[in-house]
Amino acid sequence: MNIVIPYVKSTIGFLGIIVGGIAVISIVYFFIMFFVVLMRRGHQFRKMNNDIVKEYQETKNGELFLEKLLAMDMKPKDMQDEMTWYLNIATAFNVLGKQNECIALFKQLEEVATEKDKEYIQNSIKFVQEQSEKDDTH
């Protein structure tokens, strides 16, 4: 304050500096909060999804895994979360021996996937097809 006061010759100028300072602080606060909201928007979905995956890894119950994935009340907030959710559903289909449904879902995902994800999905399709062929020969 002592730095600014000698340069301000009127009360209106002084109030203008105060109001301007409050406006700048408010704008900075708004952008920080906006960034925090963007960072956390998918947090609840990812936590719920991760809990379901952990439970499946412990129990190996494919039916319960699929049931819980389909019953999630939280929906994915961005493309990557949505891709993860559908990949988990495809995994559940595969575990349950529903290879046709699994491959069909993988092919739908392949159409909207990024290059990195496409390669993973294509490899997953090959794996499921090979697994299905092994099951058919036994």
Side-chain angles (χ1 to χ4, degrees):
M1 290 285 248
N2 291 336
I3 297 171
V4 175
I5 291 176
Y7 300 105
V8 178
K9 302 294 183 202
S10 71
T11 305
I12 293 175
F14 179 73
L15 291 174
I17 291 173
I18 298 286
V19 170
I22 291 171
V24 168
I25 290 170
S26 297
I27 290 170
V28 168
Y29 177 78
F30 171 76
F31 281 113
I32 289 172
M33 294 312 296
F34 182 72
F35 180 73
V36 168
V37 167
L38 280 178
M39 294 297 291
R40 294 191 45 90
R41 72 181 185 172
H43 179 74
Q44 289 177 325
F45 169 80
R46 282 189 292 276
K47 182 179 178 342
M48 185 179 285
N49 188 60
N50 290 342
D51 290 345
I52 292 169
V53 170
K54 284 178 189 173
E55 182 181 348
Y56 166 70
Q57 289 172 341
E58 292 170 3
T59 65
K60 301 295 184 205
N61 185 337
E63 288 180 26
L64 185 61
F65 183 44
L66 181 60
E67 182 182 313
K68 285 192 173 199
L69 285 170
L70 295 176
M72 286 178 65
D73 56 349
M74 284 286 173
K75 296 300 174 203
K77 302 290 186 201
D78 61 29
M79 185 66 174
Q80 192 61 42
D81 286 345
E82 190 169 1
M83 186 69 71
T84 301
W85 185 57
Y86 281 117
L87 288 172
N88 286 338
I89 291 171
T91 300
F93 282 149
N94 188 41
V95 166
L96 294 172
K98 299 179 179 183
Q99 278 80 17
N100 293 337
E101 291 91 336
C102 177
I103 292 171
L105 184 54
F106 276 142
K107 288 188 178 190
Q108 287 177 337
L109 292 174
E110 186 179 22
E111 293 175 14
V112 296
T114 62
E115 283 305 312
K116 178 183 163 193
D117 290 334
K118 264 187 189 171
E119 183 179 337
Y120 173 79
I121 291 169
Q122 289 167 349
N123 290 336
S124 297
I125 290 171
K126 288 178 191 173
F127 174 78
V128 172
Q129 288 171 335
E130 290 170 3
Q131 188 180 30
S132 181
E133 289 170 6
K134 285 180 185 177
D135 291 345
D136 290 342
T137 60
H138 286 123

